[in-house]
Amino acid sequence: MNIRKFASLALVMALSLGVTSCGSKKPAEEGKEEAKVEEKAEKGKEEAKSDGKAKKIAVLLYNGSDTYIASVRQQLEKLDEEDDSIELVYQDGQNNQGTQTDQLNNVIAQGVDGIFMNIVDISAAPTAMETIKASGIPTAFFNRDMTASMKEEDLKDFLFIGTDAPEAGKMQGQILTDLWKKGDMDRNKNGVLDYVMLNGGLDNPEAQARTEFSVKTLEENGIKVKEVAFQDCKWDTDKAKTAMDTWLQTNQDNIDAVIANNDGMAIGAISALQAVGMNTGSSKDNMVVVGVDATDLAVAEIDKGTMAGTVKQDAEGMAKALITTMKNRLGNGDFIEGTEYKLGADKKSIRIDYQIYTGK
């Protein structure tokens, strides 16, 4: 073979190998390009948060260990995970107004875009609002009704999202009315519904309303009632158990019902009852216990037959209303305009409906 022919053959072979080599690498290179696109998209999401595109909202909780508040936080976290336009940061006041006030000052100094405030002490609301006004940060108070402190000029930058507290009491009263009319609730057969009241807080509007209207509903339904004992347990399970332990030592046979302002206190009462062999799910000598919140623990007790009923306070609905209205305020300058929500009769608040729960 002469040198010219040999060179031509070598060139053809080289070109052939080159084509084959490029063809074999193409899928891998395409995979790398796709990976780079995905990586860039994820990086873009993170940059959106860090450069301020994601709105940072501080969530100030009165007490993170409160069962209902914990359920609201869980729902907020779920919505946060699904929404790249917001970033929630949490502070737990641990039921101490001084601690929460410090936390409020800190998040304002950090320059958050919005605040969700579950205030510890309702009487501290005016001071908190003055502090927030100076910062210009829109704020939605929730759960603990501080609307008495709100004025018409506050409505651009403040909103309250909660429930209609008397409705919870009315529903508790209706649960008890239905059970009384069945005829097996009067334990001492005196024709009077003898009850003990586990109160959440003497200065708390929700506790006041639930206490008042649960009893008032019974009376309006023609049932004679008698308060055997009353204790302010500050929404606390252990305090409720301690109170119930004492009452069972002195009045076990003369109590027909336990009315608790929340499920946490109802669970405390059930623990005390079970310690003396009552409300085990199989005993006929059960004492009627009702609460508010429809927490997982309470629903489980109701389904087992150890608790009579509760009133559902919608944690999911609360969280959704908070997120929706704050995003609307930050984007459109108004909390509710263009949303599904309407202000209540007080023109200061959104009220989330309660529901009765007495079993599956």
Side-chain angles (χ1 to χ4, degrees):
M1 180 181 296
N2 61 37
I3 293 175
R4 182 176 294 179
K5 286 184 178 181
F6 180 81
S8 298
L9 180 60
L11 178 61
V12 171
M13 290 177 68
L15 290 171
S16 177
L17 287 170
V19 171
T20 303
S21 177
C22 289
S24 64
K25 289 182 180 179
K26 188 174 182 180
E29 290 174 354
E30 287 179 349
K32 288 179 181 179
E33 288 300 317
E34 290 174 359
K36 286 180 181 179
V37 170
E38 291 176 0
E39 183 180 354
K40 186 176 181 181
E42 289 301 317
K43 186 177 180 182
K45 288 181 181 179
E46 293 303 315
E47 289 175 350
K49 286 191 175 183
S50 63
D51 68 9
K53 291 182 181 178
K55 300 297 184 182
K56 184 174 285 188
I57 303 170
V59 186
L60 276 60
L61 307 176
Y62 101 89
N63 185 3
S65 63
D66 179 285
T67 306
Y68 175 68
I69 295 304
S71 66
V72 174
R73 175 172 180 165
Q74 184 179 35
Q75 293 299 324
L76 285 170
E77 288 173 342
K78 180 179 178 182
L79 292 172
D80 186 16
E81 288 175 3
E82 297 169 353
D83 191 340
D84 288 332
S85 71
I86 58 171
E87 179 184 0
L88 303 184
V89 291
Y90 296 87
Q91 299 285 336
D92 185 352
Q94 299 178 359
N95 207 20
N96 185 302
Q97 187 57 56
T99 298
Q100 189 178 67
T101 298
D102 290 341
Q103 292 169 346
L104 176 62
N105 290 330
N106 287 337
V107 299
I108 289 173
Q110 292 167 15
V112 297
D113 298 293
I115 298 171
F116 295 152
M117 190 161 189
N118 174 216
I119 197 161
V120 173
D121 183 351
I122 293 168
S123 67
T127 302
M129 291 172 69
E130 286 301 317
T131 300
I132 296 168
K133 278 181 188 178
S135 73
I137 300 172
T139 299
F141 288 86
F142 70 100
N143 176 248
R144 314 196 101 187
D145 195 340
M146 40 58 69
T147 51
S149 300
M150 292 176 66
K151 301 175 183 177
E152 186 175 348
E153 60 266 27
D154 298 327
L155 301 183
K156 179 181 178 182
D157 293 312
F158 294 99
L159 177 69
F160 174 72
I161 301 177
T163 51
D164 184 5
E167 287 302 311
K170 291 175 184 178
M171 289 182 181
Q172 284 186 308
Q174 190 58 54
I175 293 170
L176 293 169
T177 296
D178 293 342
L179 291 171
W180 182 261
K181 288 182 177 179
K182 287 181 179 180
D184 57 357
M185 189 176 161
D186 189 0
R187 298 180 66 247
N188 61 7
K189 309 302 179 186
N190 67 350
V192 178
L193 196 162
D194 301 299
Y195 70 91
V196 293
M197 180 68 69
L198 295 169
N199 182 269
L202 298 178
D203 60 349
N204 186 285
E206 281 88 357
Q208 292 170 351
R210 292 173 190 180
T211 296
E212 176 185 353
F213 284 91
S214 57
V215 176
K216 189 174 182 179
T217 299
L218 286 165
E219 293 173 331
E220 289 175 347
N221 287 331
I223 299 172
K224 294 180 180 180
V225 298
K226 177 184 176 183
E227 182 180 277
V228 176
F230 177 102
Q231 183 64 46
D232 174 10
C233 295
K234 303 187 183 304
W235 311 107
D236 187 82
T237 300
D238 292 337
K239 287 183 173 64
K241 182 183 183 305
T242 298
M244 196 70 201
D245 284 334
T246 301
W247 296 336
L248 288 172
Q249 291 174 14
T250 57
N251 278 300
Q252 180 171 326
D253 296 329
N254 293 309
I255 302 172
D256 299 318
V258 179
I259 306 176
N261 285 169
N262 77 341
D263 285 341
M265 294 186 294
I267 294 298
I270 291 171
S271 295
L273 287 162
Q274 290 177 341
V276 297
M278 300 176 67
N279 292 57
T280 61
S282 58
S283 172
K284 292 183 179 180
D285 189 22
N286 282 354
M287 191 179 293
V288 169
V289 181
V290 294
V292 177
D293 285 338
T295 63
D296 290 343
L297 281 175
V299 168
E301 293 295 334
I302 292 167
D303 292 343
K304 287 189 295 185
T306 57
M307 181 171 168
T310 187
V311 180
K312 181 180 179 181
Q313 189 170 198
D314 188 357
E316 182 179 1
M318 178 79 72
K320 180 184 175 186
L322 284 165
I323 296 293
T324 301
T325 55
M326 181 59 73
K327 286 180 64 176
N328 203 63
R329 170 63 180 79
L330 293 172
N332 303 321
D334 187 89
F335 283 108
I336 66 169
E337 187 176 352
T339 73
E340 63 187 280
Y341 298 102
K342 298 183 184 300
L343 291 179
D346 62 5
K347 302 301 180 182
K348 303 175 182 178
S349 62
I350 293 170
R351 303 289 172 168
I352 308 298
D353 290 338
Y354 285 112
Q355 300 171 29
I356 287 177
Y357 183 84
T358 55
K360 293 180 179 178

